[in-house]
Amino acid sequence: MALINENYLKLPGNYLFSEIARRVEQFKAEHPKADMIRLGIGDVTRPLPGAVIEAMKKAVDEMGRPETFRGYGPEQGYDFLAKKIIENDLTPRGIEAAVDEVFVSDGAKSDTANFQELFGLNNIFAVTDPVYPVYVDSNVMAGRTGVHKDGKFDRVVYLPCTEENGMKPALPSARVDMIYLCFPNNPTGMTLSREELKKWVDHARENRSIILFDAAYEAFIREDGVPHSIFEIEGAREVAVEFRSFSKTAGFTGTRCAYTIVPKEVKVYDAKGEGYSLNSLWLRRQTTKFNGVSYPVQAAAAAVYSEEGKKQVKELIDYYMENARIIREGLRKAGYKVFGGVNAPYIWMKTPDQLSSWDFFDRLMRTANVVGTPGAGFGANGEGYFRLTAFGTRENTIEALERIATKM
Amino acid sequence: MALINENYLKLPGNYLFSEIARRVEQFKAEHPKADMIRLGIGDVTRPLPGAVIEAMKKAVDEMGRPETFRGYGPEQGYDFLAKKIIENDLTPRGIEAAVDEVFVSDGAKSDTANFQELFGLNNIFAVTDPVYPVYVDSNVMAGRTGVHKDGKFDRVVYLPCTEENGMKPALPSARVDMIYLCFPNNPTGMTLSREELKKWVDHARENRSIILFDAAYEAFIREDGVPHSIFEIEGAREVAVEFRSFSKTAGFTGTRCAYTIVPKEVKVYDAKGEGYSLNSLWLRRQTTKFNGVSYPVQAAAAAVYSEEGKKQVKELIDYYMENARIIREGLRKAGYKVFGGVNAPYIWMKTPDQLSSWDFFDRLMRTANVVGTPGAGFGANGEGYFRLTAFGTRENTIEALERIATKM
């Protein structure tokens, strides 16, 4: 008799975004004429840059001719893309990385979800609270947690990000072996300074733990002194892996390309204390369970680094960050307490009148016809908060803030 | 201290294709003028069909305009592709499937490797021997096996495919909960008849086990009476999941698209015997750990089902199957015992003079400068066999067989 992976039964039934969709559908059914503006989900709205389109079409044409056709590529991605990544994203920031330390994939979601496979089930992992749910859920499915109770899983170390600590988590006091950090943060939009991040790297080095660093939003950093990569911190190559993505920077959410940097120095240990290279293990994982990213998609990603591509991507990011400014300043002017939105496309606001995050969701939808994301969906400490994103159109963003200012 | 997933340490170090590459490189270094022909790896060589190229470029253009741009798609694939799959691949063969039973993915390799996650670690799985290594290795990594010894893993039920049983595995005598079957088979190229496959479905129904059916090569079936899908068998919707791919049929090895059919009736059980829908579990897995296939790739796959596309794909398959005929008949004429190649792009030959499969590899490379795949790489029962593939160019295929006939 085929038996279920019972860890799946620990997952709570209701997903955040399907519950949002359900409430929106119901409201629209009751108010068919309401002009809804969605600033909830973290999906981009601007088209792919022209340089990317041209490169991708050229690559598709290559696939149609016998002399330039490409079959299976390397599971870890083509060298031509890894080299461009290193030359443009890493070297200019003083980060050293070899071509075989860059693993191209179909998404940071897949990579952050799959990477935990390399670790034993007896590791203890830490996440910030609030947090991007994939880190936790993928570990639940693997069996690295206990049961779910009162919004938390047993055997998980939650690191609260609160108004009191400025949304910056404190170092864990108990033992942790794997630490998920995402900065600029989803959902709070907040960042760590170089000094703050260094404390994490030092802590990991002392404890031989590993930092799984999600840098998917690094391109939105506007301020100096905010590290774009954990590898800007001394010693990070010994203890960190970094996930990056073309999704939000170059509009690849529907095109699918990302990469993960796994330095050869990072080690995991067996029961006897012998170390094994995470880089070799991830290569083994990817060659066994993945078959590489579509060639035209990799060619498209490489075009992000052309002169034209870089200019166009910068325009995209400027566009979204102007939206972020409009939301942040608009909310503040309307009297709300706001985090993020300076170095990130996310704005994390405190709900007024001590409303629960779902109650504020309903009020905002009913009064202003604006849809956002209730903070409670990101963890217990997200309760009382609300996320808006800068990925809408300019017109909708302005109109949404106008409604919040006048109607709420 | 971060601990390794010690199951990874059970994997033997040497990979089949890297050892082949090593030997070929060494030979080429010693014989720089040798004109090598590769009929080893299962990768296609013909370009993508014209209809696919056109559709993909059109979809890329859509991604460049704000009004047609697409961000995140459904993790399980777009309905437009699932509908075409059902209309063209399933309905004409009398197979019922709903749109939400078809899960589009980036490859049958990913799906066959990831699907085992839904099952408890205490399940016993069976594989044929020889076998596509991904089924076994993904289960080893998950911890569903014991150690590796004498070419086999503990706790795995191997079903020998031998000359005596005509490469058709017998039903397992011991308990098994998960059964991997691949027909037309990689590497043997052999198929099961409807009656033979029915025995497996009946066996699974009696034991509430689940058949993980890999139908990646169904498009190469030429003979009547050979099922293209396990769902042509009565009762299979209760016990089977089927993996399919655009890789070999439409030349998508470098473009990446596949799909998996998970009927809503298939159930896995908890310790108390309560059943859970595999379809819901796979949806939960994919929505948590995957972000869907690139939109232009899905649009390209849909074009496989256009009138033009179908004609072009048929030409592709005819081309490869003519290669298969040339290899099969050429080998037979040269006195070799041959399996497969009638309903599959793989030809499985017995090595002559009781040579080991690696010894024959060396002899074929040195004498005829032809590279194939040693059967031992597919399992203990692959020893004494050798795989050639029909995916080369016509010219190379003819030349390779000419050399085998005259030089060996």
Side-chain angles (χ1 to χ4, degrees):
Chain A
M1 185 169 82
L3 297 168
I4 188 174
N5 172 356
E6 296 206 5
N7 296 307
Y8 271 67
L9 304 178
K10 296 174 190 162
L11 294 164
N14 247 356
Y15 320 147
L16 175 62
F17 290 107
S18 59
E19 176 61 17
I20 292 175
R22 195 190 64 73
R23 293 193 189 205
V24 172
E25 283 316 305
Q26 192 184 324
F27 180 77
K28 277 167 65 179
E30 292 161 10
H31 305 84
K33 284 183 184 164
D35 176 22
M36 309 292 284
I37 297 179
R38 292 166 175 274
L39 297 181
I41 201 165
D43 197 2
V44 298
T45 51
R46 307 296 302 158
L48 286 181
V52 167
I53 296 289
E54 285 319 303
M56 194 162 176
K57 282 165 69 177
K58 187 168 158 284
V60 173
D61 273 331
E62 288 174 36
M63 297 296 267
R65 291 189 301 266
E67 61 280 14
T68 49
F69 174 76
R70 296 189 187 222
Y72 291 121
E75 285 93 343
Q76 64 275 33
Y78 280 107
D79 279 2
F80 71 76
L81 178 54
K83 280 180 187 159
K84 289 237 182 274
I85 287 167
I86 293 168
E87 279 167 27
N88 292 279
D89 286 348
L90 308 181
T91 308
R93 298 201 180 278
I95 301 163
E96 275 178 60
V99 165
D100 57 357
E101 293 177 324
V102 175
F103 294 79
V104 175
S105 81
D106 65 318
K109 182 180 177 187
S110 317
D111 283 357
T112 53
N114 290 330
F115 210 87
Q116 48 76 29
E117 282 183 29
L118 308 184
F119 297 83
L121 295 182
N122 42 354
N123 287 279
I124 301 286
F125 71 96
V127 289
T128 60
D129 176 8
V131 69
Y132 175 51
V134 168
Y135 313 147
V136 176
D137 288 358
S138 57
N139 276 288
V140 173
M141 289 168 164
R144 216 167 273 109
T145 72
V147 296
H148 190 255
K149 219 182 123 184
D150 303 329
K152 297 193 173 192
F153 286 96
D154 267 354
R155 276 177 53 86
V156 178
V157 174
Y158 292 91
L159 308 167
C161 293
T162 61
E163 191 175 350
E164 289 67 41
N165 64 22
M167 305 293 161
K168 292 166 192 257
L171 293 174
S173 48
R175 165 199 157 198
V176 301
D177 310 302
M178 303 155 62
I179 303 162
Y180 288 87
L181 293 178
C182 173
F183 289 100
N185 188 259
N186 174 18
T188 71
M190 297 297 277
T191 55
L192 294 187
S193 70
R194 212 171 295 271
E195 295 65 38
E196 288 162 340
L197 190 52
K198 185 168 186 308
K199 282 184 202 156
W200 285 94
V201 171
D202 291 345
H203 181 267
R205 289 172 82 183
E206 279 157 29
N207 295 281
R208 293 203 283 180
S209 48
I210 286 171
I211 300 173
L212 301 153
F213 193 78
D214 188 343
Y217 304 98
E218 65 81 23
F220 297 91
I221 294 171
R222 291 291 162 120
E223 295 182 319
D224 292 337
V226 178
H228 286 245
S229 165
I230 195 166
F231 299 118
E232 292 178 39
I233 309 299
E234 195 199 325
R237 279 183 61 91
E238 294 165 30
V239 291
V241 167
E242 183 166 295
F243 305 99
R244 287 175 166 230
S245 173
F246 295 95
S247 282
K248 308 298 165 75
T249 53
F252 270 56
T253 53
T255 303
R256 314 300 318 138
C257 200
Y259 64 96
T260 293
I261 305 165
V262 190
K264 288 185 197 126
E265 290 91 322
V266 197
K267 284 195 164 48
V268 277
Y269 299 88
D270 67 14
K272 293 177 209 140
E274 196 180 333
Y276 298 86
S277 157
L278 260 192
N279 181 289
S280 310
L281 291 166
W282 185 240
L283 180 64
R284 186 64 156 108
R285 194 272 170 204
Q286 293 297 76
T287 51
T288 302
K289 300 177 77 171
F290 183 59
N291 232 335
V293 173
S294 184
Y295 167 65
V297 173
Q298 292 191 64
V304 166
Y305 301 111
S306 64
E307 278 319 302
E308 190 102 337
K310 281 193 263 196
K311 218 180 99 223
Q312 293 165 346
V313 166
K314 188 180 169 301
E315 283 165 13
L316 266 182
I317 292 173
D318 287 347
Y319 180 94
Y320 293 132
M321 289 311 287
E322 174 61 11
N323 286 351
R325 190 195 60 77
I326 291 166
I327 298 172
R328 198 181 71 238
E329 294 184 358
L331 288 174
R332 234 170 237 163
K333 209 177 283 175
Y336 295 98
K337 172 105 192 172
V338 174
F339 297 88
V342 176
N343 296 303
Y346 295 121
I347 293 90
W348 188 240
M349 60 180 287
K350 210 172 165 184
T351 61
D353 313 328
Q354 301 196 300
L355 281 179
S356 81
S357 60
W358 278 109
D359 284 347
F360 183 72
F361 173 90
D362 287 332
R363 185 194 284 188
L364 187 65
M365 176 171 69
R366 294 179 179 279
T367 314
N369 300 161
V370 172
V371 179
T373 312
F378 299 99
N381 276 293
E383 184 52 277
Y385 289 89
F386 201 77
R387 191 188 78 172
L388 292 174
T389 82
F391 293 125
T393 63
R394 178 66 39 78
E395 193 188 358
N396 280 347
T397 305
I398 292 171
E399 167 71 15
L401 271 291
E402 177 67 23
R403 292 187 199 167
I404 290 172
T406 56
K407 299 192 171 181
M408 292 286 289
Chain B
M1 185 170 82
L3 298 168
I4 188 174
N5 172 356
E6 296 207 5
N7 297 306
Y8 271 67
L9 304 177
K10 297 174 189 163
L11 294 165
N14 247 354
Y15 319 148
L16 175 61
F17 290 106
S18 59
E19 175 61 16
I20 291 174
R22 196 191 62 75
R23 294 194 188 204
V24 171
E25 284 315 304
Q26 192 183 326
F27 181 77
K28 277 167 66 180
E30 292 162 10
H31 306 84
K33 285 183 184 164
D35 177 23
M36 309 293 284
I37 297 178
R38 293 167 175 271
L39 298 181
I41 201 164
D43 197 3
V44 298
T45 50
R46 308 296 302 158
L48 286 181
V52 168
I53 296 290
E54 285 320 303
M56 195 163 176
K57 282 164 68 177
K58 188 169 158 282
V60 173
D61 274 331
E62 288 174 36
M63 297 296 267
R65 291 190 300 266
E67 61 279 16
T68 50
F69 174 76
R70 296 189 188 224
Y72 291 122
E75 286 93 344
Q76 64 274 33
Y78 279 108
D79 280 2
F80 72 76
L81 178 54
K83 281 180 187 162
K84 289 237 183 275
I85 287 168
I86 293 168
E87 279 166 26
N88 292 278
D89 285 349
L90 308 181
T91 309
R93 298 201 180 278
I95 300 163
E96 276 177 59
V99 165
D100 57 357
E101 293 176 324
V102 174
F103 294 80
V104 176
S105 82
D106 65 319
K109 183 181 177 186
S110 318
D111 282 358
T112 54
N114 290 331
F115 209 87
Q116 48 76 29
E117 282 183 29
L118 307 185
F119 297 84
L121 295 181
N122 42 356
N123 287 279
I124 301 287
F125 71 95
V127 289
T128 60
D129 175 10
V131 69
Y132 175 50
V134 168
Y135 313 146
V136 177
D137 288 0
S138 57
N139 276 286
V140 173
M141 289 168 164
R144 216 166 273 109
T145 72
V147 296
H148 190 254
K149 221 182 120 184
D150 304 329
K152 296 191 174 192
F153 285 96
D154 267 354
R155 276 179 53 87
V156 179
V157 174
Y158 291 92
L159 307 167
C161 295
T162 61
E163 192 175 348
E164 289 68 40
N165 64 24
M167 304 294 160
K168 292 166 192 258
L171 293 175
S173 47
R175 165 200 157 197
V176 301
D177 310 302
M178 301 155 64
I179 304 162
Y180 288 87
L181 293 178
C182 173
F183 290 100
N185 188 259
N186 174 17
T188 71
M190 298 296 277
T191 55
L192 294 187
S193 69
R194 211 170 295 272
E195 294 66 36
E196 288 162 340
L197 191 52
K198 185 167 187 311
K199 282 183 199 156
W200 285 95
V201 171
D202 292 345
H203 180 268
R205 291 172 80 184
E206 279 156 29
N207 295 281
R208 295 202 281 180
S209 49
I210 285 171
I211 300 173
L212 301 153
F213 193 77
D214 188 343
Y217 304 99
E218 64 82 23
F220 296 91
I221 294 172
R222 291 294 162 118
E223 293 182 319
D224 292 337
V226 178
H228 285 244
S229 164
I230 196 166
F231 298 118
E232 293 178 38
I233 311 299
E234 196 199 326
R237 279 183 61 91
E238 293 165 29
V239 291
V241 167
E242 183 166 294
F243 305 99
R244 288 175 164 228
S245 173
F246 295 95
S247 282
K248 308 301 165 74
T249 53
F252 270 56
T253 54
T255 304
R256 314 299 318 137
C257 200
Y259 64 95
T260 292
I261 306 164
V262 190
K264 287 185 198 130
E265 289 92 320
V266 197
K267 285 195 163 50
V268 277
Y269 299 87
D270 67 13
K272 294 178 208 141
E274 196 181 333
Y276 298 85
S277 158
L278 260 192
N279 181 289
S280 309
L281 291 166
W282 185 238
L283 179 65
R284 186 64 158 108
R285 193 271 170 205
Q286 293 296 79
T287 50
T288 302
K289 300 178 77 172
F290 183 59
N291 232 335
V293 173
S294 182
Y295 167 65
V297 173
Q298 292 191 63
V304 165
Y305 301 110
S306 64
E307 279 317 304
E308 191 102 334
K310 282 194 261 194
K311 219 181 100 222
Q312 292 165 344
V313 166
K314 187 181 171 302
E315 283 164 13
L316 266 183
I317 291 173
D318 287 348
Y319 180 94
Y320 292 132
M321 288 311 286
E322 174 62 10
N323 286 352
R325 190 195 60 76
I326 291 166
I327 298 172
R328 198 179 71 236
E329 294 185 358
L331 289 174
R332 233 169 236 164
K333 210 178 278 174
Y336 296 98
K337 173 105 192 173
V338 175
F339 297 88
V342 177
N343 296 304
Y346 294 123
I347 294 92
W348 188 241
M349 60 181 285
K350 211 173 164 179
T351 61
D353 313 328
Q354 300 196 300
L355 281 178
S356 82
S357 60
W358 278 108
D359 284 347
F360 183 72
F361 173 90
D362 287 332
R363 185 195 281 187
L364 188 66
M365 178 172 66
R366 292 177 180 282
T367 313
N369 300 161
V370 172
V371 179
T373 312
F378 298 99
N381 277 292
E383 185 51 278
Y385 289 88
F386 200 77
R387 191 188 77 171
L388 292 174
T389 82
F391 293 124
T393 63
R394 177 66 40 78
E395 193 187 358
N396 280 346
T397 304
I398 292 171
E399 167 70 15
L401 269 292
E402 178 68 24
R403 291 187 200 166
I404 290 172
T406 56
K407 297 191 171 179
M408 293 288 287

